[in-house]
Amino acid sequence: MYAIIGGTGLNKLAHLEIVRREVMRTPYGEPSGALTFGQLGGRDVVFLARHGYGHTIPPHRINYRANMWALRDAKVDGVLAVTSVGGIRKEFGTGVLVAPDQIIDYTYSRGHTYFDGTGAPVTHVDFTWPYTQALRERLLAAASAAGELVHDGGVYGATQGPRLETAAEIARMQRDGCDLVGMTGMPEAALARELHLPYACLSMVVNHAAGLGDSKQMISVEHLDEMAQKAMERVHRILECFAAQPAPPANTDPQPQSVAAHTG
Ligand code: HPA
């Protein structure tokens, strides 16, 4: 069973036949909402709205640790995260869908790790490739099956929000090599890795990033939700195909190793 985390514009899954909702307790507090278990494309899935079902939790206040812990406890095979983003790379204009393959993290002051030094040895995880390739491939195959174009690869720059970026910040991110900018991709991806949960992301571009294209002077924030809604029908089609694919054989995703290391 896969988990789907919905971002802005995706507070519920079209065509999900809901079977039950479950309020999960975690050592990290409450997830963004109850987990919604149901059937999509004829298979079991669990859905969670990242910003809460009423879209009330801003990116920096999301309890990412509780969310990922709850999904791990639900014994999901992996997590597909849907995010709305600004486009930095020229080809990534409004409406483009991307499966990023890299991340640069500019967030701060978020609960970003389970290895928080409570008497356990200092622990590092490999994060060279932050998304699980097998799950990315499953997503890209679902997009083909749905007849939708999803760009394969891109660098997701995660910013703190909730304000949008300045033009200079985006120019710096562009120099850094970012192709997309969003506020929720981290620490979610890193926490998935710490829990050994396969994780991939489907990003939809809802605006040109600050200072670029038609956002040269300003970003018209009223249009962001509208753009997210516009892309959503295509996203729903992809998600249905994603869910409908046969479950993966056990252990096809390489399990990243946690490395425990004592430092001086
Ligand atoms: N910046 C950060 N996050 C976003 C943007 C953006 O331009 N658009 C949608 N999410």
Side-chain angles (χ1 to χ4, degrees):
M1 173 181 64
Y2 283 107
I4 294 168
I5 300 182
T8 298
L10 189 64
N11 293 335
K12 58 176 190 247
L13 282 184
H15 310 304
L16 177 70
E17 291 166 39
I18 297 173
V19 174
R20 70 192 160 94
R21 291 200 170 85
E22 195 171 331
V23 176
M24 308 286 282
R25 309 245 168 264
T26 84
Y28 300 93
E30 289 198 12
S32 298
L35 299 187
T36 305
F37 293 85
Q39 290 246 314
L40 184 68
R43 290 184 194 273
D44 290 339
V45 295
V46 52
F47 177 75
L48 177 64
R50 189 187 282 112
H51 297 279
Y53 292 95
H55 203 266
T56 52
I57 313 171
H60 63 292
R61 291 227 173 264
I62 290 166
N63 191 340
Y64 296 94
R65 286 193 295 194
N67 286 353
M68 301 313 281
W69 193 272
L71 293 175
R72 201 273 305 262
D73 276 358
K75 305 213 171 358
V76 299
D77 292 311
V79 178
L80 179 61
V82 181
T83 61
S84 71
V85 295
I88 298 178
R89 197 199 288 189
K90 238 197 177 74
E91 308 90 82
F92 291 171
T94 303
V96 169
L97 299 173
V98 185
D101 63 352
Q102 274 296 337
I103 293 175
I104 299 179
D105 187 12
Y106 302 88
T107 65
Y108 49 87
S109 305
R110 299 182 178 190
H112 68 287
T113 180
Y114 296 107
F115 300 120
D116 228 358
T118 46
V122 174
T123 302
H124 305 288
V125 291
D126 171 67
F127 203 45
T128 310
W129 291 97
Y131 300 106
T132 306
Q133 183 59 15
L135 205 56
R136 292 186 69 254
E137 281 166 16
R138 188 183 169 91
L139 167 62
L140 294 166
S144 301
E148 296 294 343
L149 190 66
V150 171
H151 195 98
D152 180 2
V155 179
Y156 180 112
T159 56
Q160 178 70 357
R163 68 166 176 83
L164 293 161
E165 299 71 34
T166 67
E169 285 168 338
I170 292 298
R172 177 178 76 143
M173 291 177 76
Q174 200 165 29
R175 290 193 298 276
D176 284 352
C178 294
D179 298 308
L180 305 165
V181 54
M183 299 174 189
T184 55
M186 284 292 283
E188 200 171 86
L191 293 166
R193 181 58 55 88
E194 286 188 352
L195 293 177
H196 294 189
L197 273 179
Y199 181 90
C201 177
L202 173 60
S203 292
M204 54 181 170
V205 179
V206 295
N207 60 285
H208 283 112
L212 302 177
D214 58 14
S215 301
K216 214 160 209 72
Q217 286 310 318
M218 63 174 294
I219 293 176
S220 121
V221 285
E222 320 77 70
H223 286 151
L224 298 185
D225 283 353
E226 198 182 308
M227 286 303 161
Q229 284 309 331
K230 259 194 183 158
M232 214 36 84
E233 208 174 298
R234 290 154 58 215
V235 169
H236 282 299
R237 272 201 292 276
I238 294 168
L239 294 179
E240 207 162 342
C241 289
F242 177 86
Q245 291 173 54
N251 297 325
T252 50
D253 290 321
Q255 290 296 302
Q257 298 296 304
S258 300
V259 179
H262 295 277
T263 51

